[in-house]
C-alpha cells in the first residue's frame, strides 16, 4: 500500500471514529514512537464498534496499555492508530468467596493489587512497572516479574477473558472456575499474543490468600553449583513457601552499591554471587524462626558464605531496591537489556561464553542478574563509549549463545518488534507456521498490531 493511500484510509477512519465517539475520545499525540492518533473507548461495545470501522476500512491499530513493555510491542510501525484502554480501568468486582477479581483491561496493576489486599487477598503479580502497567497489557504480554517461582506467570492467574476480534466480534468468557475442561482453551490464544489476535477488554483473575509473613535475606555465595544447590535446598526446606530467588552477579551488586550510589552494601563486595531470597507464609513468629534455621543449615552445609536478614519492612525494601535498581546501568553508556531463559544446569557455561564473547571489547558493559528460580536471566550488554556500541553484533553474540544452549530468546518481555528476528532461534518452523496461520485466521487483513511478532510481509505471503 502506498503512503498516500494509507494516509487517506487513516483520515477516513479517524473521521468515522470521531463521528462515533466524539472529539474527546479521539486525540492526537506527539511521541514519534507511538501512533499519531489515539482512540479512547469507554466500553467493550465501543471497542467493538471501533474494530468494525477499522476492519471495514482496512485500518491497522495498536492496542495500548501502560506502554511499559520492553519489546516495543506498543510502537507504531506505519500508519496504525492507537487504541488506548486507559478509560476502561474499573475494578468491576472482587469476589472474596470465590477468590477472583474481575477488572477492565486498563486497570493499573498496583490499583488491582491494592484492591485485592483490602480483602486480605493477593494478586500474585508484581513487577517494577506496577504503577503504570495495566492488567490488559500484563495479560497481552503474559508478564512475569518477581513471584513467578511460586505463582507462575500471568497466564497462570487468568481464569476468564473478554476479547474483541479484528472484525468487532466480542468473545466473552468471564469464567471463574478453576476447573473448566470444555473444549479448546481459547484464553490461551490471546494471553501473550501481544494484541495481535484480539483486543483484551476484561479479565477475571485468580486471587490467593494474602501472606501474613514475609522473610527476606541477602546471601553471598562463592560458586555457581552452590547457588543451584541452594535453590533446591530452599525450595525443599520451605515446603513451597519460597517466593523469590533472585541472583545478582558481582558486576550488578558492586555497581549498584558502589561508593556514592543510593544504596549501602548490606554485604561486603568480593563475593561471586549475591542471592536475594524471600519466603511467604501464614505465621509471622514461626516462619521467621524457620527461615533463620533454614539459612543456618544452608551455611553449615557450605551452600552460602554470608547472609544478612531483614528485620523490618524498611530493611526488606532496602534489599529489594538494590535488586530493582536496573535503570542505573543505562547511565554507564548505551546497552541492551536482554531477557532470556536458560536451564540452570547450563547457566554457568552460558554466562562464561557470553563473557568470553565480550572480552575483546575494551569499554564493555556486561551485567548479569535474574530470576534464577525461573531460569530467567537478564543480561545488559553494551559499551561505555557510544561510538563503539554495535547493536547487531551484541544481539548476535547473545542470541547465538541462547540458541546454542537451547534457551529462550524471550523469558518474560515478549517478542514485539525488538525480538521478531530472533524468534526462529527458539521456535521450530512448524510452530511458526501454525502461529502465523492462527493470526491469518483471526485477523485476515492483519490490522491488529501488525509487524509485531511477525513481519507483515510474512503474514501476507502465507
Ligand atoms: Zn525481570
Amino acid at each position: 500500500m502506498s503512503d498516500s493511500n494509507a494516509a487517506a484510509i487513516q483520515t477516513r477512519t479517524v473521521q468515522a471514529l470521531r463521528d462515533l465517539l466524539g472529539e474527546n475520545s479521539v486525540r492526537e499525540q506527539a511521541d514519534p514512537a507511538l501512533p499519531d492518533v489515539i482512540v479512547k473507548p469507554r466500553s467493550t461495545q465501543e471497542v467493538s464498534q471501533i474494530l468494525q470501522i477499522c476492519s471495514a476500512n482496512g485500518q491497522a491499530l495498536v492496542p495500548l496499555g501502560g506502554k511499559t513493555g520492553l519489546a516495543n510491542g506498543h510502537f507504531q510501525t506505519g500508519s496504525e492508530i492507537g487504541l488506548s484502554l486507559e478509560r476502561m480501568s474499573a475494578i468491576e468486582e472482587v469476589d472474596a468467596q470465590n477468590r477472583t477479581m474481575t477488572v477492565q483491561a486498563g486497570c493499573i496493576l498496583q490499583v488491582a493489587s491494592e484492591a485485592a489486599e483490602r480483602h486480605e487477598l493477593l494478586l500474585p503479580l508484581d513487577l517494577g512497572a506496577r504503577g503504570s502497567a495495566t492488567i490488559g497489557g500484563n495479560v497481552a504480554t503474559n508478564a512475569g516479574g518477581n513471584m513467578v517461582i511460586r505463582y507462575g506467570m500471568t497466564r497462570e492467574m487468568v481464569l476468564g477473558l473478554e476479547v474483541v476480534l479484528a472484525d468487532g466480534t466480542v468473545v466473552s468468557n468471564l469464567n471463574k472456575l478453576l476447573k473448566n475442561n470444555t473444549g479448546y482453551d481459547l484464553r490461551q490464544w490471546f494471553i501473550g499474543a501481544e494484541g495481535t489476535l484480539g483486543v483484551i477488554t476484561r479479565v477475571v483473575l485468580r486471587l490467593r490468600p494474602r501472606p501474613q509473613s514475609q522473610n527476606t535475606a541477602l546471601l553471598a555465595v562463592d560458586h555457581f553449583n552452590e547457588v543451584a544447590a541452594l535453590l533446591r535446598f530452599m525450595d525443599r526446606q520451605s515446603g513451597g513457601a519460597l517466593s523469590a530467588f533472585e541472583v545478582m552477579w558481582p558486576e550488578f551488586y558492586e555497581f549498584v552499591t558502589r561508593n556514592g550510589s543510593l544504596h549501602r552494601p548490606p554485604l561486603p563486595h568480593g563475593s561471586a554471587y549475591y542471592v536475594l531470597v524471600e519466603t511467604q507464609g501464614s505465621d509471622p513468629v514461626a516462619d521467621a524462626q524457620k527461615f533463620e534455621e533454614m539459612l543456618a543449615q544452608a551455611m553449615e552445609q557450605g551452600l552460602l558464605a554470608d547472609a544478612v536478614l531483614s528485620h523490618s519492612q524498611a530493611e526488606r525494601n532496602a534489599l529489594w531496591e538494590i535488586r530493582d535498581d536496573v535503570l542505573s546501568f543505562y547511565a554507564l553508556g548505551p546497552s541492551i537489556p536482554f531477557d532470556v531463559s536458560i536451564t540452570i544446569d547450563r547457566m554457568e557455561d552460558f554466562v562464561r561464553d557470553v563473557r568470553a564473547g565480550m572480552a575483546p571489547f575494551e569499554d564493555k558493559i556486561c551485567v548479569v542478574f535474574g530470576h534464577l528460580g525461573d531460569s530467567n536471566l537478564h543480561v545488559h550488554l553494551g559499551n561505555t563509549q557510544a561510538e563503539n556500541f554495535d547493536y547487531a553484533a551484541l544481539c548476535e553474540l547473545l542470541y547465538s549463545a541462547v540458541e546454542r544452549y537451547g534457551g529462550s530468546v524471550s523469558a518474560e518481555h515478549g517478542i514485539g518488534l525488538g525480538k521478531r528476528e530472533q524468534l526462529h532461534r527458539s521456535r521450530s518452523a512448524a510452530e511458526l507456521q501454525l502461529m502465523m496461520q492462527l493470526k491469518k485466521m483471526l485477523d485476515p487483513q492483519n490490522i491488529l498490531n501488525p509487524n509485531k511478532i511477525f513481519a507483515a510481509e510474512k503474514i501476507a505471503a502465507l
Side-chain angles (χ1 to χ4, degrees), residues 144-146 246 323 339 369 371 376 378 412-413:
N146 292 335
E246 302 283 321
R323 163 59 186 83
D339 160 54
F369 61 103
H371 319 281
N376 179 191
H378 292 309
E412 59 176 358
H413 294 171

Side-chain angles (χ1 to χ4, degrees), residues 251-252 255-256 258 326-335 363-367 380-386:
E251 294 90 338
F252 183 104
F255 179 75
V256 169
R258 70 195 181 283
V326 293
L327 292 179
S328 64
F329 294 103
Y330 291 103
L332 289 171
S335 69
D363 59 334
K364 62 181 167 290
I365 299 168
C366 179
V367 179
H380 274 257
L381 299 183
N383 301 81
T384 54
Q385 305 298 316

